[in-house]
Amino acid sequence: MNILKNYSNPFEINTGSNQITNTTIFTIISLLTLLVTLLVVKTEIIGFIGVIGLCIGIIVLYKIFVNPKLGIYLLIILGFFVTGLARYIPLAWGLLIDGILVIIYLALFFKGFAIKIPWHLAKSPLTLVVSIWMGYIFLQIGNPEAQSKEAWFYAMRGVALYQWMSIPLLFMLFNKQKDLDTFFILWGILSVLGTLKGIQQFQFGVDPFEKRWLDQGGAETHILFGKLRVFSFYSDAGQFGASQGHTGVVFSILAYLKKENFKLKTFFIFIALTTFFGMLISGTRGAIAVPALGGIMFLILKKNIKVLILGGILGLSVYIFFAHTTIGQGNAEIRRMRTAFDPNEASLQVRLANQKKLKGYLATRPIGGGVGATGNWGQRFTPHTFLANTATDSWYVMIWADTGAVGLTYYLIMLFFILGTGAYNVMFKLKDEWLKAQIAALTCGMAGIMMASYGNGVFGQMPTGILMYVGMVFMFIAPKIDESIRKSSIQLQ
């Protein structure tokens, strides 16, 4: 009671000789304000942005430590925006992905002192196969052909690290039907934002920051015959087109199979139509492979002869339209898509010639030339080497050149194992119709991206990467979710 009587001021706590008073708090705030003001005056807008960023970072850090699942949502959101941010503020934004992953693990580690963390949920064949792949990529640091450890560090993140770190977290934190439903809503909204940004570029041109990016080298691949290849806020037009096609496939299947809830069905239709339009204006020919193979995969999963025949007729019609007619040739987007069906197209011949050169180089290098030896990282860190100066174009050719025949073989086995698991669960194990539809959509989307990755390096880039990892996890845990749905249904009865 005496303590309560003496504690009359909430900002003044007596602890012997130490006191925290209003004056002390005012002094601390004044000093912090003065420091911030001096920083902003000294560094102008950069300092102001830095202060705002620091405040946001502290809040985000606190929120993730309180609820680690929020870190998963942040990863998905950052996956869409992180590469485009560099055009506006030239920082290594990609490292944010690394940072968020590490923070989530730290949050789980410290929470482990108070509650039991369900690490056992991460035990899965999927975790095993991606861990073996990560182990192989880690050993690549000792590849005698490798020329740069810095190139290895930057390149291995998209090739293996993000996948390896994300999948266990998803098994533990993002593993319920409600999480899957939320994932689709978030994915759809973010993709439509990407489409809207693409439409702005298509109709009104790029903004000053994007213009600077084009002037600094982006125009070489994004302005062809005076026509802009739309890239939205993605890393490039190839990633934008493939990601939009991926979204279109997934949400078309969801819309087709959604039997109830008219509002949700309408939402899925809107997302599908909008993102297919985004794919069209991207000017990315390889993106058409996503709906092509995604559609074929869907026909296989349906196990319906009538649907298979109708789908085959539709696919054949699309092929004839692009490959054997000149309908719509006056439209630049259709004209560019049509070149994807020309076996004599000049850029295809260049790709085949490069692959022939790589075949000779890699014949005596079964583990490749080292992770990061090709592409942008090769040009940045080892511009004098053969691999850095030989375009790979394809994601799989890059894996082959960097990790050799050994690496490519394992990588393809891993992907087909994951895809096969998703297909098997849809065709033979899942009973709940809506869950089956969702996993079918994810499986078909993955099949489409796998096909498109032969023409472009889309698989390991954001946002496709994080969308793939979430999809993979739900393909594997779908039977458990299905079982819990059936148990809940029985209990309600």
Side-chain angles (χ1 to χ4, degrees):
M1 294 296 294
N2 290 335
I3 295 174
L4 293 174
K5 288 179 180 178
N6 293 331
Y7 187 56
S8 57
N9 187 340
F11 292 99
E12 183 176 340
I13 305 173
N14 293 320
T15 56
S17 59
N18 296 321
Q19 287 189 333
I20 301 176
T21 64
N22 287 340
T23 304
T24 305
I25 293 172
F26 178 77
T27 303
I28 292 171
I29 293 174
S30 299
L31 287 172
L32 287 173
T33 304
L34 179 61
L35 287 172
V36 169
T37 304
L38 288 173
L39 178 63
V40 172
V41 170
K42 192 74 175 176
T43 59
E44 298 179 345
I45 189 65
I46 298 298
F48 178 73
I49 293 173
V51 170
I52 297 298
L54 179 63
C55 293
I56 293 173
I58 292 171
I59 295 171
V60 168
L61 185 67
Y62 170 75
K63 291 291 186 180
I64 292 176
F65 267 80
V66 171
N67 183 5
K69 182 184 281 191
L70 294 177
I72 302 297
Y73 291 119
L74 186 57
L75 281 174
I76 296 169
I77 295 169
L78 282 176
F80 279 82
F81 297 107
V82 73
T83 50
L85 280 172
R87 298 188 186 108
Y88 299 88
I89 304 173
L91 296 174
W93 292 102
L95 293 175
L96 271 177
I97 302 294
D98 308 64
I100 297 299
L101 286 167
V102 170
I103 288 169
I104 297 173
Y105 273 103
L106 286 174
L108 290 176
F109 174 77
F110 285 110
K111 275 187 171 292
F113 291 106
I115 61 174
K116 186 178 181 180
I117 303 299
W119 298 103
H120 65 280
L121 294 177
K123 186 179 180 181
S124 164
L126 177 60
T127 305
L128 177 62
V129 295
V130 300
S131 295
I132 293 172
W133 175 242
M134 182 64 214
Y136 181 76
I137 296 301
F138 180 77
L139 292 175
Q140 277 283 329
I141 199 171
N143 188 330
E145 297 290 333
Q147 301 289 314
S148 169
K149 288 182 173 56
E150 290 86 353
W152 172 87
F153 170 76
Y154 281 99
M156 66 89 183
R157 291 150 63 231
V159 171
L161 182 67
Y162 293 158
Q163 178 179 256
W164 179 65
M165 294 184 72
S166 298
I167 283 173
L169 292 176
L170 290 163
F171 273 119
M172 291 187 290
L173 301 172
F174 208 69
N175 53 22
K176 296 179 176 61
Q177 177 69 59
K178 183 179 179 181
D179 296 325
L180 183 57
D181 294 337
T182 304
F183 169 62
F184 282 122
I185 299 298
L186 184 60
W187 179 358
I189 292 171
L190 292 170
S191 294
V192 167
L193 290 177
T195 308
L196 293 175
K197 176 59 177 172
I199 292 172
Q200 174 253 301
Q201 292 174 345
F202 183 72
Q203 290 290 342
F204 307 106
V206 297
D207 63 38
F209 300 96
E210 294 162 340
K211 178 67 165 58
R212 181 181 63 186
W213 178 74
L214 291 171
D215 292 340
Q216 292 174 347
E220 293 182 13
T221 53
H222 285 80
I223 298 181
L224 301 179
F225 307 106
K227 185 75 175 178
L228 176 71
R229 292 179 65 210
V230 172
F231 50 87
S232 184
F233 46 66
Y234 295 66
S235 60
D236 53 68
Q239 177 60 220
F240 174 57
S243 181
Q244 293 279 285
H246 181 206
T247 306
V249 166
V250 169
F251 282 79
S252 292
I253 295 171
L254 292 176
Y256 176 73
L257 296 177
K258 186 63 177 174
K259 303 303 181 184
E260 301 173 355
N261 195 327
F262 177 75
K263 289 183 179 180
L264 196 57
K265 189 180 183 75
T266 304
F267 172 77
F268 292 148
I269 293 172
F270 172 73
I271 300 296
L273 292 175
T274 303
T275 52
F276 273 137
F277 180 75
M279 182 191 77
L280 182 64
I281 65 175
S282 71
T284 303
R285 297 168 299 180
I288 201 169
V290 184
L293 198 67
I296 292 172
M297 190 71 192
F298 178 68
L299 297 176
I300 295 171
L301 295 181
K302 285 297 290 181
K303 297 187 296 181
N304 186 310
I305 298 298
K306 291 182 180 179
V307 173
L308 190 62
I309 292 172
L310 288 173
I313 293 171
L314 177 61
L316 183 62
S317 301
V318 171
Y319 170 74
I320 292 172
F321 171 81
F322 281 108
H324 298 288
T325 76
T326 56
I327 299 171
Q329 194 69 2
N331 183 281
E333 282 66 47
I334 293 177
R335 189 165 61 246
R336 179 158 177 79
M337 287 289 183
R338 183 162 279 137
T339 62
F341 295 84
D342 182 5
N344 300 312
E345 202 269 330
S347 65
L348 175 61
Q349 296 304 313
V350 171
R351 291 186 183 205
L352 294 176
N354 285 335
Q355 290 174 26
K356 188 175 181 179
K357 288 194 294 182
L358 286 169
K359 184 178 180 180
Y361 181 85
L362 294 167
T364 57
R365 298 169 174 84
I367 60 172
V371 175
T374 57
N376 293 331
W377 303 123
Q379 286 289 324
R380 176 176 171 180
F381 294 105
T382 56
H384 57 283
T385 61
F386 169 78
L387 289 179
N389 290 286
T390 304
T392 55
D393 298 307
S394 163
W395 175 253
Y396 304 120
V397 175
M398 183 274 289
I399 295 288
W400 176 41
D402 282 8
T403 68
V406 174
L408 179 61
T409 301
Y410 180 81
Y411 187 75
L412 290 175
I413 290 172
M414 177 180 73
L415 289 187
F416 279 106
F417 168 69
I418 296 168
L419 185 70
T421 300
Y424 178 80
N425 286 336
V426 170
M427 296 173 75
F428 303 109
K429 296 196 72 174
L430 301 180
K431 304 302 180 184
D432 182 79
E433 289 300 323
W434 180 231
L435 178 62
K436 185 188 293 188
Q438 291 175 310
I439 303 304
L442 292 173
T443 303
C444 295
M446 180 178 175
I449 288 295
M450 285 174 62
M451 184 65 182
S453 293
Y454 175 74
N456 294 285
V458 298
F459 204 104
Q461 294 181 351
M462 293 294 175
T464 299
I466 188 63
L467 297 177
M468 285 288 98
Y469 310 149
V470 176
M472 290 174 185
V473 168
F474 277 107
M475 287 179 204
F476 276 78
I477 62 175
K480 291 184 179 179
I481 296 175
D482 188 63
E483 185 180 350
S484 67
I485 291 173
R486 279 183 283 147
K487 286 182 179 178
S488 299
S489 178
I490 292 171
Q491 289 175 356
L492 288 173
Q493 293 175 357

mmCIF file of all heavy atoms in Angstrom, residues 277-296:
data_model
loop_
_atom_site.group_PDB
_atom_site.id
_atom_site.type_symbol
_atom_site.label_atom_id
_atom_site.label_comp_id
_atom_site.label_asym_id
_atom_site.label_seq_id
_atom_site.Cartn_x
_atom_site.Cartn_y
_atom_site.Cartn_z
ATOM 1 N N PHE A 277 -3.630 -10.434 -69.346
ATOM 2 C CA PHE A 277 -3.381 -9.209 -70.119
ATOM 3 C C PHE A 277 -1.985 -8.675 -69.823
ATOM 4 O O PHE A 277 -1.261 -8.236 -70.724
ATOM 5 C CB PHE A 277 -4.430 -8.144 -69.798
ATOM 6 C CG PHE A 277 -4.239 -6.864 -70.560
ATOM 7 C CD1 PHE A 277 -4.565 -6.799 -71.905
ATOM 8 C CD2 PHE A 277 -3.719 -5.740 -69.936
ATOM 9 C CE1 PHE A 277 -4.377 -5.617 -72.619
ATOM 10 C CE2 PHE A 277 -3.534 -4.555 -70.636
ATOM 11 C CZ PHE A 277 -3.862 -4.486 -71.985
ATOM 12 N N GLY A 278 -1.581 -8.737 -68.544
ATOM 13 C CA GLY A 278 -0.227 -8.325 -68.181
ATOM 14 C C GLY A 278 0.826 -9.163 -68.890
ATOM 15 O O GLY A 278 1.854 -8.649 -69.350
ATOM 16 N N MET A 279 0.582 -10.465 -68.990
ATOM 17 C CA MET A 279 1.511 -11.341 -69.707
ATOM 18 C C MET A 279 1.623 -10.930 -71.170
ATOM 19 O O MET A 279 2.719 -10.891 -71.735
ATOM 20 C CB MET A 279 1.035 -12.788 -69.608
ATOM 21 C CG MET A 279 1.936 -13.795 -70.282
ATOM 22 S SD MET A 279 1.222 -15.454 -70.447
ATOM 23 C CE MET A 279 0.107 -15.188 -71.834
ATOM 24 N N LEU A 280 0.497 -10.583 -71.769
ATOM 25 C CA LEU A 280 0.480 -10.215 -73.181
ATOM 26 C C LEU A 280 1.280 -8.948 -73.452
ATOM 27 O O LEU A 280 2.074 -8.893 -74.394
ATOM 28 C CB LEU A 280 -0.966 -10.032 -73.650
ATOM 29 C CG LEU A 280 -1.161 -9.698 -75.131
ATOM 30 C CD1 LEU A 280 -0.688 -10.848 -76.013
ATOM 31 C CD2 LEU A 280 -2.633 -9.387 -75.424
ATOM 32 N N ILE A 281 1.122 -7.916 -72.612
ATOM 33 C CA ILE A 281 1.811 -6.649 -72.868
ATOM 34 C C ILE A 281 3.278 -6.689 -72.461
ATOM 35 O O ILE A 281 4.039 -5.778 -72.794
ATOM 36 C CB ILE A 281 1.112 -5.471 -72.151
ATOM 37 C CG1 ILE A 281 1.199 -5.625 -70.627
ATOM 38 C CG2 ILE A 281 -0.318 -5.318 -72.620
ATOM 39 C CD1 ILE A 281 0.634 -4.429 -69.855
ATOM 40 N N SER A 282 3.695 -7.757 -71.751
ATOM 41 C CA SER A 282 5.104 -7.835 -71.336
ATOM 42 C C SER A 282 6.044 -8.011 -72.525
ATOM 43 O O SER A 282 7.224 -7.697 -72.438
ATOM 44 C CB SER A 282 5.308 -9.008 -70.368
ATOM 45 O OG SER A 282 5.207 -10.259 -71.052
ATOM 46 N N GLY A 283 5.514 -8.530 -73.633
ATOM 47 C CA GLY A 283 6.366 -8.766 -74.787
ATOM 48 C C GLY A 283 7.327 -9.925 -74.594
ATOM 49 O O GLY A 283 8.311 -10.045 -75.316
ATOM 50 N N THR A 284 7.038 -10.788 -73.619
ATOM 51 C CA THR A 284 7.902 -11.937 -73.316
ATOM 52 C C THR A 284 7.347 -13.178 -73.989
ATOM 53 O O THR A 284 6.318 -13.712 -73.574
ATOM 54 C CB THR A 284 7.974 -12.152 -71.789
ATOM 55 O OG1 THR A 284 8.448 -10.959 -71.179
ATOM 56 C CG2 THR A 284 8.919 -13.293 -71.457
ATOM 57 N N ARG A 285 8.046 -13.627 -75.026
ATOM 58 C CA ARG A 285 7.550 -14.773 -75.784
ATOM 59 C C ARG A 285 7.530 -16.047 -74.948
ATOM 60 O O ARG A 285 6.599 -16.845 -75.025
ATOM 61 C CB ARG A 285 8.436 -14.994 -77.017
ATOM 62 C CG ARG A 285 8.414 -13.833 -77.982
ATOM 63 C CD ARG A 285 9.510 -13.973 -79.008
ATOM 64 N NE ARG A 285 10.832 -13.982 -78.394
ATOM 65 C CZ ARG A 285 11.971 -14.087 -79.079
ATOM 66 N NH1 ARG A 285 11.929 -14.221 -80.386
ATOM 67 N NH2 ARG A 285 13.129 -14.072 -78.458
ATOM 68 N N GLY A 286 8.579 -16.241 -74.128
ATOM 69 C CA GLY A 286 8.672 -17.467 -73.344
ATOM 70 C C GLY A 286 7.572 -17.624 -72.330
ATOM 71 O O GLY A 286 7.293 -18.746 -71.869
ATOM 72 N N ALA A 287 6.883 -16.508 -71.978
ATOM 73 C CA ALA A 287 5.830 -16.569 -70.965
ATOM 74 C C ALA A 287 4.654 -17.414 -71.422
ATOM 75 O O ALA A 287 3.914 -17.966 -70.604
ATOM 76 C CB ALA A 287 5.355 -15.168 -70.612
ATOM 77 N N ILE A 288 4.472 -17.543 -72.731
ATOM 78 C CA ILE A 288 3.337 -18.323 -73.236
ATOM 79 C C ILE A 288 3.461 -19.796 -72.868
ATOM 80 O O ILE A 288 2.489 -20.546 -72.878
ATOM 81 C CB ILE A 288 3.207 -18.143 -74.764
ATOM 82 C CG1 ILE A 288 1.780 -18.501 -75.208
ATOM 83 C CG2 ILE A 288 4.240 -18.972 -75.521
ATOM 84 C CD1 ILE A 288 1.465 -18.104 -76.636
ATOM 85 N N ALA A 289 4.690 -20.221 -72.516
ATOM 86 C CA ALA A 289 4.900 -21.613 -72.097
ATOM 87 C C ALA A 289 4.194 -21.908 -70.785
ATOM 88 O O ALA A 289 3.847 -23.066 -70.504
ATOM 89 C CB ALA A 289 6.398 -21.892 -71.952
ATOM 90 N N VAL A 290 3.961 -20.886 -69.965
ATOM 91 C CA VAL A 290 3.330 -21.111 -68.661
ATOM 92 C C VAL A 290 1.889 -21.582 -68.823
ATOM 93 O O VAL A 290 1.524 -22.655 -68.312
ATOM 94 C CB VAL A 290 3.414 -19.849 -67.770
ATOM 95 C CG1 VAL A 290 2.839 -20.138 -66.392
ATOM 96 C CG2 VAL A 290 4.851 -19.361 -67.652
ATOM 97 N N PRO A 291 1.025 -20.831 -69.527
ATOM 98 C CA PRO A 291 -0.333 -21.354 -69.714
ATOM 99 C C PRO A 291 -0.369 -22.601 -70.595
ATOM 100 O O PRO A 291 -1.260 -23.449 -70.429
ATOM 101 C CB PRO A 291 -1.080 -20.187 -70.379
ATOM 102 C CG PRO A 291 -0.022 -19.311 -70.940
ATOM 103 C CD PRO A 291 1.166 -19.460 -70.055
ATOM 104 N N ALA A 292 0.602 -22.742 -71.504
ATOM 105 C CA ALA A 292 0.616 -23.914 -72.386
ATOM 106 C C ALA A 292 0.809 -25.199 -71.583
ATOM 107 O O ALA A 292 -0.028 -26.108 -71.627
ATOM 108 C CB ALA A 292 1.712 -23.768 -73.439
ATOM 109 N N LEU A 293 1.887 -25.277 -70.832
ATOM 110 C CA LEU A 293 2.146 -26.508 -70.081
ATOM 111 C C LEU A 293 1.254 -26.598 -68.851
ATOM 112 O O LEU A 293 0.864 -27.693 -68.441
ATOM 113 C CB LEU A 293 3.612 -26.606 -69.674
ATOM 114 C CG LEU A 293 4.018 -28.030 -69.290
ATOM 115 C CD1 LEU A 293 3.984 -28.946 -70.504
ATOM 116 C CD2 LEU A 293 5.377 -28.082 -68.654
ATOM 117 N N GLY A 294 0.923 -25.424 -68.249
ATOM 118 C CA GLY A 294 0.007 -25.440 -67.115
ATOM 119 C C GLY A 294 -1.340 -26.022 -67.510
ATOM 120 O O GLY A 294 -1.951 -26.797 -66.764
ATOM 121 N N GLY A 295 -1.814 -25.659 -68.711
ATOM 122 C CA GLY A 295 -3.075 -26.195 -69.204
ATOM 123 C C GLY A 295 -3.007 -27.688 -69.467
ATOM 124 O O GLY A 295 -3.936 -28.435 -69.140
ATOM 125 N N ILE A 296 -1.899 -28.144 -70.063
ATOM 126 C CA ILE A 296 -1.728 -29.578 -70.311
ATOM 127 C C ILE A 296 -1.710 -30.346 -68.998
ATOM 128 O O ILE A 296 -2.333 -31.411 -68.871
ATOM 129 C CB ILE A 296 -0.417 -29.821 -71.105
ATOM 130 C CG1 ILE A 296 -0.551 -29.252 -72.513
ATOM 131 C CG2 ILE A 296 -0.084 -31.304 -71.151
ATOM 132 C CD1 ILE A 296 0.743 -29.257 -73.301
#
